Amino acid sequence: MPGKPDEVRSAYNRVVEEEFIALVVSKRADGGFERAIASRRLADLPPNDTLIRVRYSSLNYKDALSATGHRGVTRDYPHTPGIDAAGEIVESESARLAPGDEVIVTGYDLGMDTPGGFGQYVRVPAAWVMQKPDGLTLRESMVLGTAGFTAALGVHELQRHGITPESGDVLVTGASGGVGSVSVAILSKLGYRVVAATGKAEAHGWLRQLGAQEILSRDDVDDASGKALLKERWGGVVDAVGGDILATAIKATKRSGCVVCCGNVASPELHTTVYPFILRGVTLQGVDSATAAPSLRAQMWQRLAGEWKPSPAALDAIARDIALDELPPLIDAILQGRLQGRVVVAL
Ligand SMILES: NC(=O)c1ccc[n+]([C@@H]2O[C@H](COP(=O)([O-])OP(=O)(O)OC[C@H]3O[C@@H](n4cnc5c(N)ncnc54)[C@H](OP(=O)(O)O)[C@@H]3O)[C@@H](O)[C@H]2O)c1
């Protein structure tokens, strides 16, 4: 009979014991880290107010750091990385979210010390959850993911600093990576002349297909002269790599130009003089996607779903679709800078 205490308890147990599949990273006795596809229970997830059935996630550089024990990203193991998740609400205490709603979560603590999108379920605070905008499918939202959201923030910062297509060429570094490739696609769609800097000779044709008008090698954008200022070349820059390439870009940015700093795959160091700033009025603008305010997130995702959305051909060219068990070797590839475009994980 429904409602009998034993039956209620057994129904409850079925729910809390429901198992799902996730990529689990564990610390070995020798201090190393190993990854396995493992079964998890809903009861293993933290007691947040919103449960989501994840349909798609994506691979970002930060996930690879989490999967290899980088303490600046994740402190507690076993752990499921995945800073991106797109799926449906299962249950939520928030009046804003109803079962079945299609939603996106990117950043905050997801995939850092909160079990992330490389599992079929996440349980997160409702405040992290955004309704998927019309104009993007769940899968498309993860083709973009944090990399695309960061690219959008970069474009937003260039515009906010008055950089238009008339301001001159825009340099995108790490151009074949996630942030880089989406930046190339958005900026070219908006009419900027995009110069893509890449370490991958094999990616030149692909970057042109995304809209880059000129391709440079990493060496071309890594000045070794020691000069404090270089010939003015860039109206704007979106930099995903940091280090000497970022320093070179700053020195070669035109008067009143803007350099957006997003990443540090080459180096977290930045050695520069003050001259580009005090003699050319160059702006160095950082972006932080993880902690972006909800209103800015909503605005950026509306643009990504609308006038900034890369063409269907560009989205197809950027994305590679994989299953969860194909992820581990790609984690190594992204750490080594070998990935091209974006990896979408179907769950
Ligand atoms: N600030 C934020 O909110 C935010 C958000 C997302 C990502 N990020 C950061 O942005 C960076 C890129 O992330 P992602 O997800 O786009 O990674 P990704 O897909 O691996 O792209 C990075 C690209 O940088 C280039 N690269 C790799 N190693 C390099 C090296 N040693 N020297 C010069 N270039 C190198 C490669 O492109 P080429 O072969 O084409 O040169 C690589 O594909 C990471 O540092 C990430 O943590 C920051």
Side-chain angles (χ1 to χ4, degrees):
M1 288 251 308
K4 274 186 168 175
D6 282 353
E7 290 184 11
V8 170
R9 196 171 307 120
S10 99
Y12 175 76
N13 285 343
R14 271 202 302 281
V15 172
V16 294
E17 289 178 1
E18 190 177 324
E19 292 189 348
F20 65 93
I21 300 297
L23 179 84
V24 178
V25 178
S26 309
K27 192 168 183 180
R28 291 195 306 257
D30 67 3
F33 290 82
E34 61 191 17
R35 309 150 200 162
I37 307 300
S39 186
R40 306 285 282 167
R41 292 174 171 194
L42 292 185
D44 296 332
L45 294 174
N48 292 313
D49 58 21
T50 299
L51 180 66
I52 299 170
R53 171 65 170 92
V54 180
R55 297 293 174 189
Y56 298 97
S57 183
S58 79
L59 178 60
N60 292 278
Y61 191 78
K62 208 181 208 177
D63 301 320
L65 297 178
S66 172
T68 49
H70 195 290
R71 287 183 67 74
V73 178
T74 300
R75 301 188 77 81
D76 295 324
Y77 294 88
H79 171 65
T80 294
I83 64 171
D84 287 345
E88 296 118 22
I89 297 290
V90 177
E91 59 188 20
S92 177
E93 287 170 20
S94 165
R96 195 170 58 80
L97 301 167
D101 283 0
E102 293 190 323
V103 294
I104 303 172
V105 185
T106 66
Y108 296 102
D109 191 54
L110 188 69
M112 294 181 70
D113 278 311
T114 301
F118 297 164
Q120 291 172 318
Y121 287 87
V122 294
R123 199 186 274 121
V124 296
W128 298 1
V129 181
M130 212 190 63
Q131 295 281 355
K132 178 188 73 60
D134 295 340
L136 286 176
T137 64
L138 281 178
R139 178 184 163 277
E140 286 173 336
S141 74
M142 290 293 101
V143 174
L144 298 168
T146 286
F149 175 49
T150 305
L153 288 171
V155 174
H156 170 70
E157 290 299 346
L158 291 180
Q159 290 188 338
R160 204 168 63 82
H161 288 91
I163 309 304
T164 66
E166 289 67 45
S167 305
D169 292 359
V170 175
L171 173 69
V172 176
T173 65
S176 76
V179 174
S181 58
V182 182
S183 299
V184 169
I186 297 174
L187 286 164
S188 69
K189 181 173 184 185
L190 296 180
Y192 291 87
R193 185 176 187 279
V194 178
V195 178
T198 181
K200 298 184 184 78
E202 69 279 13
H204 289 199
W206 178 80
L207 284 165
R208 285 191 191 279
Q209 196 189 334
L210 296 185
Q213 305 225 3
E214 188 179 339
I215 316 281
L216 299 176
S217 72
R218 286 185 201 165
D219 286 346
D220 293 333
V221 289
D222 188 354
D223 176 67
S225 71
K227 290 181 181 165
L229 289 169
L230 298 170
K231 186 164 172 281
E232 293 181 51
R233 175 78 211 268
W234 314 121
V237 178
V238 176
D239 175 69
V241 306
D244 291 340
I245 289 178
L246 173 58
T248 302
I250 293 169
K251 292 181 206 180
T253 296
K254 290 183 177 185
R255 188 163 304 281
S256 304
C258 177
V259 178
V260 179
C261 166
C262 319
N264 61 350
V265 287
S267 170
E269 307 251 323
L270 176 60
H271 301 287
T272 177
T273 67
V274 297
Y275 294 121
F277 310 111
I278 65 170
L279 296 182
R280 290 181 178 165
V282 168
T283 299
L284 177 59
Q285 175 67 51
V287 298
D288 178 12
S289 60
T291 61
S295 58
L296 181 60
R297 282 173 189 268
Q299 189 190 357
M300 292 297 99
W301 280 103
Q302 284 302 335
R303 296 215 174 128
L304 286 168
E307 67 267 33
W308 292 4
K309 183 178 176 180
S311 67
L315 283 177
D316 274 353
I318 287 172
R320 177 197 316 193
D321 292 271
I322 64 159
L324 194 58
D325 59 1
E326 297 173 85
L327 197 44
L330 297 178
I331 289 172
D332 297 323
I334 199 168
L335 271 183
Q336 294 155 7
R338 289 192 284 111
L339 271 195
Q340 183 173 310
R342 299 272 301 141
V343 171
V344 178
V345 186
L347 291 129

